[in-house]
Amino acid sequence: MDDELLQDFLVEAGEILEALNEQLVDLEQSPDDAELLNSVFRGFHTIKGGAGFLAIEAMVALCHRSEDIFNLLRNGERTITPELMDTILPVLDVLEEQFEALRNGEEVADADPAMLTALEKFTKPGGGEEATAPAETTPDEEAAPIVEAPAAAAPASAKVGGGEDITDEEFDELLNALDGSDEPASTSAAAVSDGSEDITEEEFDALLDQLHGEGKFDPKNLAETDDSGKHAPPVPADKPAAGSSSDEMITEDEFDALLDQLHGKGRFDAAKVATGQTPTAATDTAQPAAAEEKKDLKPEAKKAEKKAGKEKPPVETSVRVDTSRLDDIMNMVGELVLVRNRITRLGERSGNEEMLKAVANLDLVTADLQLSVMKTRMQPIKKVFGRFPRVVRDIARSLKKEIRLEMIGEDTDLDKNLVEALADPLVHLVRNSVDHGIEMPDEREAAGKPREGTVVLAASQEGDHILLSIEDDGKGMDPNKLRQIAVDKGLMDSEAAERLTDKECYELIFAPGFSTKKEISDISGRGVGMDVVKTGISRLNGTVEIDSDLGKGTRLSIKVPLTLAIMSTLMVRLEDQLFALPLVNVSEIFHLDLTQTNIVDGQLVILIRERSLPLFYLKRWLVNGQANAELPKQGHVVVVHIGTQKIGFVVDELIGQEEVVIKPLGAMLHGISGLAGATITGDGGIAIILDVPGLIRMYV
């Protein structure tokens, strides 16, 4: 198997599979959408074609049955039902497993025979029941002038002239098209089929007599037309007609010649024959008139018409680039940013006006280049959102709930690494909203709400961050219930729980092991694994906040940076060492009289805007030998936040805001809690990038 062809197939078919997940759910909601139905059919057909070319028979068998089902749906011989969709949707999961096996170089396993059998039932019209066999006809019935034509003969008609014998159904369709009616042409005694699959010479002669008049058709005059539309000279009488045969069966060449004579060379369209979209007598007579009108066109008009017919196809505007190349370019741009920072610092020290102008120009160009390279790595969040219609649909069916999913801002672009990293946390949060947030239909109706609940998934860009939100109109969360659970689980005493604000109560669901459900379902429960979600988002330098209104619903907001490669930080100094705090975690900075501090429950705090703020001296944590250092009388305080929790870090000096490129730590330092990486500063030094959530977990 050609590796390059396989990779192309995996990319293209993978995109189709992603689209099918969303399209199938939409189709269930809009079963009359013919365009959507055709799009789904084409999706399975395209995957089947690629798999067939690569001889992946297991995939071909699965797609072929699915394609047959949607062909019946297109022809109106089946209707879309929840049971049908329950059978089709798992096909996508199996196809995904087969794609994964191909990516890993493994053998593609066949689909479960039970699945193929279930699909097979739906490939037959009428709810999977066998089609009723036609009753035997008597000689009197045999002479009846009208015979019912099969409704689903459209695909078969495409075989006309394709190297196979024409069947009765295909021939009936041809007669329908030539006759201009929806019923087969009247059959004479000579034209009645004798039951064989091939048309006999007598039957064909009867057809010619009907079309041309009795005895008026001369096979010698079957002539092919040239490109100008004029007939070639007739075949001499002493030579046999092209394609003629000594046996009693019409040959393909003779049949093609007949079609060319009736419709014009190359103008016969089998698909139109199948759907009955053939020219009527009125349009046939209009064609010569149109031809005459075309002759009267002026030379300029003819030239313009000819030019329009030879317009060049649109030029490809996109190329496929390996992501590793984009990563390399991003790394080089990162190095350029570091050099720019260094030159900017040297320019400021030099005081040379021309140097400062050149540095300012370099800064502008580098920023534009950095933005352009970042955009090449961007992907629409729709790549993640596309899986949620299926997730919500499946869970709603299993829980017997009525839920509508709304998606806003699907075109919002995000770094490809973040798109992949956000997939699992978002799936978990959406499952929680569907399972625990939305009530049962009867319960909603009793509360004066619509039976159908709504989950809104939204994305938008805010400056250099992306804001994602999951909002439901369910029953919300009761802060008093959350306080009681926290006390029962021993997370805090009752007095501490009473001091919590409602928003702080909602944050309790992110505590490890905290759950509002007495029984953990196999779907989710608000709080089951939510600490893992928050930890995962924190690793992306993101934050997650929660707000709820009892009886009205819950809203979860996630804020993540546009990219993970380059980060905006606040540079601070502790003794002689530089440290970088991610700007996403910084709330405010102020200079403070540190003699006004107090100790509450053994914790150093200071009162800011009538709220107590815990204070920590970073030097005690991060500088060797300073574990017991005394606080200065005056100091700079950097207030950082993790969700709704805020604490103050006392630092020796504030350097300023700087964009840095994150470099991984060495093997000896890798995995140390509180350290996210390192970077090269503008003056050529090394700064440690701090992981604020990790620091708080480790020291607080």
Side-chain angles (χ1 to χ4, degrees):
M1 189 182 296
D2 190 306
D3 285 342
E4 188 173 346
L5 288 177
L6 177 60
Q7 291 306 315
D8 287 343
F9 169 70
L10 288 174
V11 171
E12 294 175 10
E15 292 173 355
I16 293 172
L17 192 60
E18 287 180 8
L20 282 173
N21 264 299
E22 191 171 351
Q23 289 171 344
L24 284 171
V25 178
D26 291 342
L27 188 61
E28 187 175 16
Q29 304 298 323
S30 308
D32 297 329
D33 191 333
E35 185 177 346
L36 190 57
L37 186 58
N38 286 329
S39 181
V40 172
F41 173 82
R42 286 194 301 270
F44 281 112
H45 181 74
T46 303
I47 296 176
K48 185 190 80 169
F53 182 78
L54 296 171
I56 310 171
E57 296 302 328
M59 197 175 290
V60 170
L62 198 55
C63 289
H64 180 66
R65 285 171 172 79
S66 304
E67 181 187 21
D68 286 346
I69 292 173
F70 283 95
N71 192 41
L72 291 176
L73 292 169
R74 292 197 309 166
N75 292 335
E77 298 180 50
R78 289 204 65 88
T79 56
I80 294 174
T81 62
E83 291 73 25
L84 186 147
M85 299 307 290
D86 287 341
T87 304
I88 284 289
L89 286 170
V91 171
L92 303 183
D93 300 330
V94 176
L95 286 174
E96 182 58 47
E97 292 172 4
Q98 292 176 340
F99 281 141
E100 192 61 32
L102 284 173
R103 291 188 193 100
N104 298 332
E106 301 169 358
E107 186 177 351
V108 177
D110 291 331
D112 185 353
M115 174 177 284
L116 295 177
T117 302
L119 289 171
E120 191 70 36
K121 291 179 181 177
F122 286 102
T123 59
K124 299 167 186 175
E129 297 174 2
E130 293 291 333
T132 305
E136 291 184 349
T137 56
T138 63
D140 292 336
E141 291 172 331
E142 217 172 69
I146 296 176
V147 180
E148 189 73 14
S157 65
K159 296 180 181 178
V160 175
E164 298 180 12
D165 292 333
I166 181 169
T167 65
D168 288 344
E169 289 82 5
E170 293 166 355
F171 191 71
D172 285 342
E173 290 169 359
L174 174 62
L175 294 181
N176 293 343
L178 298 176
D179 217 19
S181 71
D182 293 333
E183 298 176 347
S186 300
T187 55
S188 64
V192 175
S193 172
D194 62 357
S196 66
E197 289 293 326
D198 298 314
I199 182 171
T200 64
E201 188 172 358
E202 290 80 4
E203 291 170 342
F204 189 64
D205 287 341
L207 170 63
L208 296 179
D209 289 342
Q210 187 177 12
L211 295 173
H212 297 274
E214 189 169 353
K216 293 184 178 180
F217 175 71
D218 188 353
K220 297 176 183 178
N221 291 330
L222 275 179
E224 295 186 357
T225 56
D226 58 18
D227 292 338
S228 65
K230 297 179 180 180
H231 286 283
V235 180
D238 58 342
K239 293 185 179 180
S244 65
S245 175
S246 59
D247 61 19
E248 294 188 350
M249 304 301 176
I250 181 173
T251 66
E252 288 185 19
D253 293 337
E254 291 171 339
F255 191 71
D256 289 341
L258 172 62
L259 293 178
D260 290 342
Q261 188 176 28
L262 295 173
H263 297 273
K265 183 171 178 62
R267 294 184 182 178
F268 174 71
D269 189 341
K272 289 184 178 180
V273 171
T275 57
Q277 299 174 358
T278 52
T280 61
T283 56
D284 287 342
T285 56
Q287 287 176 359
E292 291 297 327
E293 186 178 332
K294 196 170 182 179
K295 288 181 182 178
D296 295 335
L297 289 175
K298 294 181 179 180
E300 294 82 359
K302 288 184 178 180
K303 187 180 292 185
E305 188 182 48
K306 188 175 181 181
K307 184 178 180 181
K310 291 186 177 181
E311 285 184 359
K312 293 182 179 179
V315 181
E316 283 286 343
T317 57
S318 61
V319 292
R320 186 171 291 145
V321 180
D322 192 275
T323 54
S324 61
R325 292 189 182 182
L326 295 179
D327 292 338
D328 291 341
I329 295 173
M330 194 65 191
N331 289 335
M332 288 187 284
V333 169
E335 296 297 332
L336 183 60
V337 169
L338 295 178
V339 175
R340 178 202 64 185
N341 293 345
R342 177 72 172 146
I343 294 176
T344 301
R345 191 67 59 88
L346 293 175
E348 291 171 353
R349 291 177 182 174
S350 70
N352 186 305
E353 187 175 348
E354 291 299 320
M355 179 69 170
L356 289 174
K357 287 182 180 178
V359 169
N361 191 35
L362 173 66
D363 187 37
L364 185 64
V365 173
T366 307
D368 288 344
L369 177 61
Q370 175 185 332
L371 184 62
S372 297
V373 172
M374 282 173 57
K375 285 183 177 179
T376 62
R377 290 163 50 98
M378 295 292 188
Q379 288 183 334
I381 194 71
K382 185 177 181 180
K383 191 174 179 66
V384 178
F385 279 14
R387 69 180 64 186
F388 291 116
R390 168 81 185 281
V391 170
V392 172
R393 186 258 179 201
D394 288 350
I395 299 176
R397 286 274 294 168
S398 65
L399 297 176
K400 296 180 173 55
K401 292 183 178 182
E402 299 174 16
I403 301 175
R404 182 179 75 257
L405 174 68
E406 295 180 7
M407 295 188 292
I408 302 172
E410 295 174 84
D411 295 330
T412 304
D413 288 332
L414 195 63
D415 188 289
K416 70 176 185 67
N417 293 332
L418 279 169
V419 168
E420 296 163 1
L422 280 171
D424 288 341
L426 282 177
V427 167
H428 193 93
L429 293 176
V430 169
R431 288 166 68 94
N432 269 279
S433 291
V434 173
D435 178 30
H436 196 81
I438 302 293
E439 312 97 320
M440 297 297 290
D442 293 341
E443 186 180 345
R444 289 179 61 84
E445 198 168 40
K449 294 182 178 181
R451 290 180 63 85
E452 184 181 58
T454 303
V455 176
V456 180
L457 190 59
S460 61
Q461 183 174 343
E462 294 186 349
D464 60 348
H465 287 79
I466 295 292
L467 178 64
L468 303 169
S469 64
I470 301 102
E471 187 172 1
D472 63 65
D473 65 347
K475 57 188 174 184
M477 290 189 288
D478 185 351
N480 293 324
K481 181 179 177 181
L482 295 174
R483 289 188 182 96
Q484 188 59 47
I485 293 174
V487 173
D488 293 343
K489 289 184 175 291
L491 298 177
M492 59 182 66
D493 57 37
S494 57
E495 291 182 3
E498 287 299 324
R499 290 197 298 267
L500 294 176
T501 65
D502 287 354
K503 196 167 183 65
E504 288 171 337
C505 287
Y506 303 143
E507 295 288 333
L508 287 172
I509 68 169
F510 295 114
F514 190 96
S515 176
T516 59
K517 275 198 169 184
K518 295 180 180 178
E519 294 181 3
I520 299 175
S521 69
D522 57 353
I523 296 174
S524 66
R526 183 90 72 184
V528 179
M530 293 291 275
D531 60 315
V532 178
V533 171
K534 185 173 183 179
T535 302
I537 292 172
S538 297
R539 288 200 189 103
L540 304 176
N541 297 315
T543 59
V544 55
E545 295 183 5
I546 188 168
D547 196 13
S548 186
D549 193 351
L550 186 61
K552 294 184 178 179
T554 303
R555 175 186 174 90
L556 280 153
S557 301
I558 300 171
K559 203 173 185 180
V560 291
L562 278 173
T563 179
L564 297 177
I566 296 176
M567 179 190 296
S568 295
T569 64
L570 174 67
M571 286 288 184
V572 299
R573 189 185 302 276
L574 303 175
E575 291 288 328
D576 297 327
Q577 178 64 53
L578 286 177
F579 293 90
L581 289 166
L583 212 56
V584 67
N585 297 122
V586 177
S587 297
E588 57 183 320
I589 306 168
F590 50 81
H591 190 73
L592 197 63
D593 180 3
L594 298 177
T595 60
Q596 303 299 317
T597 58
N598 297 289
I599 295 179
V600 177
D601 293 336
Q603 172 62 56
L604 185 69
V605 299
I606 194 164
L607 199 64
I608 302 293
R609 291 187 287 275
E610 298 183 357
R611 283 188 65 89
S612 59
L613 180 73
L615 277 183
F616 297 94
Y617 198 11
L618 271 186
K619 184 187 291 188
R620 292 179 176 175
W621 292 354
L622 302 174
V623 178
N624 190 29
Q626 297 293 323
N628 298 313
E630 294 185 2
L631 285 172
K633 294 181 179 179
Q634 302 288 328
H636 302 287
V637 177
V638 179
V639 180
V640 297
H641 66 275
I642 302 297
T644 57
Q645 182 184 11
K646 289 186 177 182
I647 63 174
F649 287 154
V650 181
V651 299
D652 293 343
E653 184 182 353
L654 297 171
I655 306 299
Q657 183 178 339
E658 191 169 313
E659 285 189 332
V660 301
V661 179
I662 304 174
K663 299 291 183 182
L665 297 171
M668 293 182 65
L669 298 175
H670 187 68
I672 295 180
S673 183
L675 305 183
T679 187
I680 300 174
T681 62
D683 58 4
I686 295 177
I688 300 296
I689 301 172
L690 299 178
D691 171 24
V692 175
L695 279 177
I696 293 174
R697 284 196 304 272
M698 187 170 183
Y699 293 103
V700 177

